Amino acid sequence: MRRILGAALSLLLLVGLSGCNWRPPAATVNGTEITTSDLEEDLRMMRDNPELAAAFQLSVPPQGEPMPSAVTANLLTLRIAEVILAAGYRASDKQFTAEQAQQQRDLVLAELTTALGSQELVAKLPAAFVARLTERFVHSNALLGDVAQEDLANTVSLLFGAYQVQVNPRYGAWDSASFEVVPDAPPAFGGGLSELLVDQ
């Protein structure tokens, strides 16, 4: 009877998971999930906006061709960085005033407009993505913007090393030395995470 009940429970769990299309997260940061849907949304956005992909120095193939694992790893690295930077900012005493934060947002929007070539292309981007991009800029500049170049790598190590990151093996593995997702092939970013976070 116990085996029958156990088998029935397993079947119910299997049916339940299949019914809600559950998928394991793309990554977790101290238990906070970055869903596979989050990552796929960024991949679709880069494919649909080649100017944005170029601004991020990502080589995105046309629709119908497989996405390179390095591109996926790079975008997942940025998603992970967003979570860590937001948490680090909340816990830090290095915070901007509301006016300073808005100035930072205005600056990144101006730089994004320049990178894409027009305000119309910026307006086409999902508002949620633009908000994520500007907030990452605010958080990274507050935490790292006043750090001397020679101290930047160590400061990033202290910040990012305080968080436990787990990556779905489908997308690669978390490199705790360089603080980035490493796929089967080397990532396209060549300068390491420090150069992605702060506009020096």
Side-chain angles (χ1 to χ4, degrees):
M1 177 64 71
R2 186 174 298 170
R3 283 184 303 190
I4 293 173
L5 290 174
L9 179 59
S10 297
L11 180 60
L12 285 172
L13 287 173
L14 179 61
V15 171
L17 291 177
S18 300
C20 67
N21 295 319
W22 181 86
R23 291 187 292 174
T28 60
V29 182
N30 278 13
T32 298
E33 292 188 355
I34 297 167
T35 68
T36 301
S37 296
D38 290 336
L39 179 59
E40 290 174 347
E41 179 183 313
D42 284 356
L43 290 168
R44 281 194 300 272
M45 184 174 53
M46 290 296 174
R47 202 190 288 271
D48 293 342
N49 297 275
E51 297 88 357
L52 180 65
F56 275 74
Q57 299 182 340
L58 296 174
S59 180
V60 177
Q63 189 70 37
E65 296 185 18
M67 188 69 72
S69 60
V71 173
T72 303
N74 289 337
L75 291 177
L76 185 52
T77 295
L78 290 175
R79 278 275 186 176
I80 292 168
E82 286 175 11
V83 176
I84 293 176
L85 288 167
Y89 183 77
R90 288 193 299 268
S92 173
D93 58 1
K94 296 172 63 175
Q95 298 192 4
F96 290 130
T97 65
E99 181 180 358
Q100 289 171 328
Q102 188 57 52
Q103 289 173 347
Q104 295 288 317
R105 296 185 190 100
D106 292 342
L107 178 60
V108 73
L109 283 174
E111 291 186 354
L112 183 61
T113 301
T114 299
L116 298 190
S118 72
Q119 290 183 338
E120 288 75 14
L121 290 175
V122 175
K124 282 176 51 183
L125 299 176
F129 169 78
V130 175
R132 283 172 43 215
L133 182 65
T134 55
E135 291 312 294
R136 186 172 74 232
F137 188 90
V138 168
H139 298 156
S140 63
N141 265 18
L143 295 171
L144 305 170
D146 61 351
V147 177
Q149 185 65 42
E150 60 269 21
D151 298 327
L152 182 59
N154 185 58
T155 304
V156 169
S157 293
L158 291 173
L159 173 60
F160 278 69
Y163 293 85
Q164 183 176 4
V165 178
Q166 293 181 317
V167 171
N168 187 326
R170 173 183 178 186
Y171 304 114
W174 181 248
D175 187 329
S176 57
S178 61
F179 302 108
E180 57 190 343
V181 178
V182 180
D184 294 335
F189 292 132
L193 182 62
S194 299
E195 295 188 7
L196 298 178
L197 301 179
V198 183
D199 183 21
Q200 293 288 337

